[in-house]
Amino acid sequence: MTAALYLLRAGVKTAMIEKLAPGGQVLMTSEIENYPGFPKGLQGWELADKFANHLEDYDLERINDEVRSIEVGSPHHTIVVGEENVQAKTIILATGSRYRKLGVPGEERLLGRGVSYCALCDGNFFRDRDVAVVGGGNSALEEALYLARLVNKVYLIHRRDDFRGLVCYQNKCSTHEKIEIIRSTVVEEIQGEADVETLALKNVATGDTSQLKVDGAFIFVGFEPIMDFVPDDIHKEKNGIVTDVEMGTNVPGIFAAGDIRAKQCRQVASAVGDGATAATAAFSYLEQLDV
Ligand code: NAP
């Protein structure tokens, strides 16, 4: 949305292709406390809405469908969207990332029956019940805190002793009366007949195994970039598309911004910065083409 805003303001004819609703992972985030300008924090959907509203007064073409593939060309690239082909001289890839699965038995089978990857979407189903949160990054810590407002008890299970997430979230979790932290422990299986009933746990330090009775298992073990539709011409690594500092890929005219990029910092603030940078570089590229 930032890239679209900058392109439109530069006078570039712009289409924004979106499969679902604008906002991506932000829509699944309960509370955003670190986006500058909002010191009291705000809900993910509120921030996404503000971004979307910012585009209202511009002449933006909106295409609501899924991009299936991209064919690299010159001077136009072709984007296959649903059954249609869209021609564009420049493309900014900003499809973000999707949650990573834990990959243990029972996870697929009990999805939607106690296994969840979205506390905001499913937390309400577990009011006054006991749930586990698996992971040790910012997502796990933040979402454990969100769930603790709703449920009876949160077991926060992390495979190491030290957490990856920010110290401010660690402190809140470790002092929260409803959160019990289980360290150096992995989930080996999610068990239950119709719904999640127990987790089979293993302490990686001692080798001890145990069973934990829970009604829900919320998995937050990281994200992976959404780039299945990105052609082989574009240089990518396991954790995303490789870009230069101007967000350019190795293919002239194709840029990438946000969580789809191979990078370390995955924040709304950095995604916004990437979007502005990519749009500025795309505008310069278009100007050169027209010379
Ligand atoms: P993350 O930072 O990659 O952390 C993933 C966590 O899951 C790690 O603690 C990792 O353990 C654990 N893990 C990975 N695979 C596992 C497995 N198979 N079994 C058990 N545990 C496993 O992912 P994230 O928390 O989703 O965050 C993604 C990015 O978004 C990060 O850059 C994060 O900073 C950012 N983010 C920021 C905020 C914020 O600033 N408020 C909020 C949410 C996300 P190890 O630690 O042992 O590797």
Side-chain angles (χ1 to χ4, degrees):
M1 288 191 272
T2 309
L5 178 68
Y6 273 66
L7 287 169
L8 290 162
R9 290 177 62 82
V12 178
K13 186 166 179 272
T14 306
M16 188 168 80
I17 305 169
E18 169 63 60
K19 177 169 79 160
L20 297 165
Q25 293 292 341
V26 172
L27 291 173
M28 298 223 266
T29 304
S30 47
E31 191 100 15
I32 296 182
E33 291 180 353
N34 55 6
Y35 192 71
F38 299 93
K40 291 191 167 37
L42 76 175
Q43 312 246 309
W45 66 265
E46 281 182 289
L47 187 59
D49 246 24
K50 285 184 189 295
F51 283 11
N53 289 342
H54 204 141
L55 291 167
E56 282 295 304
D57 294 336
Y58 293 91
D59 189 14
L60 172 66
E61 186 183 349
R62 291 168 190 270
I63 302 173
N64 269 99
D65 212 332
E66 182 169 3
V67 173
R68 293 176 192 270
S69 61
I70 290 174
E71 286 153 30
V72 171
S74 179
H76 288 95
H77 305 293
T78 304
I79 308 161
V80 182
V81 192
E83 304 301 316
E84 304 281 317
N85 283 356
V86 176
Q87 305 277 320
K89 286 182 181 167
T90 180
I91 303 172
I92 298 175
L93 306 167
T95 45
S97 55
R98 66 165 77 88
Y99 53 77
R100 190 180 291 142
K101 293 190 174 162
L102 195 55
V104 296
E107 183 180 14
E108 293 277 359
R109 184 174 60 82
L110 294 168
L111 176 63
R113 294 192 280 153
V115 173
S116 171
Y117 305 88
C118 178
L120 193 63
C121 324
D122 300 328
N124 219 18
F125 298 122
F126 298 90
R127 271 188 188 273
D128 304 321
R129 299 167 81 189
D130 297 344
V131 300
V133 165
V134 185
N138 281 323
S139 300
L141 297 176
E142 253 186 15
E143 303 309 320
L145 287 164
Y146 171 74
L147 285 165
R149 291 192 222 155
L150 306 172
V151 304
N152 176 55
K153 172 127 191 169
V154 178
Y155 296 97
L156 176 56
I157 304 169
H158 180 36
R159 65 181 175 185
R160 286 189 298 131
D161 211 24
D162 295 324
F163 281 90
R164 187 178 288 273
L166 290 170
V167 169
C168 64
Y169 293 131
Q170 289 184 40
N171 292 342
K172 283 186 189 173
C173 284
S174 58
T175 53
H176 199 295
E177 56 176 7
K178 284 191 184 174
I179 300 178
E180 180 177 332
I181 299 177
I182 303 178
R183 294 170 196 268
S184 300
T185 297
V186 291
V187 175
E188 292 197 310
E189 187 176 355
I190 303 174
Q191 301 160 331
E193 284 286 323
D195 298 297
V196 169
E197 290 168 22
T198 47
L199 302 183
L201 304 182
K202 182 176 180 182
N203 183 308
V204 291
T206 62
D208 290 347
T209 56
S210 59
Q211 301 274 318
L212 180 70
K213 209 174 159 318
V214 286
D215 303 298
F218 287 83
I219 317 289
F220 298 106
V221 294
F223 285 87
E224 51 197 18
I226 299 172
M227 51 186 187
D228 324 61
F229 66 94
V230 176
D232 292 341
D233 315 59
I234 295 175
H235 183 196
K236 35 183 141 50
E237 292 174 349
K238 197 169 149 252
N239 70 333
I241 290 175
V242 179
T243 67
D244 59 23
V245 289
E246 302 299 340
M247 308 299 136
T249 69
N250 59 308
V251 175
I254 302 191
F255 301 84
D259 274 9
I260 193 177
R261 285 179 60 219
K263 60 171 185 171
Q264 200 177 350
C265 181
R266 298 180 185 279
Q267 299 284 315
V268 186
S270 61
V272 164
D274 284 4
T277 307
T280 308
F283 179 66
S284 301
Y285 171 81
L286 289 172
E287 281 204 311
Q288 282 168 22
L289 276 190
D290 289 342
V291 168

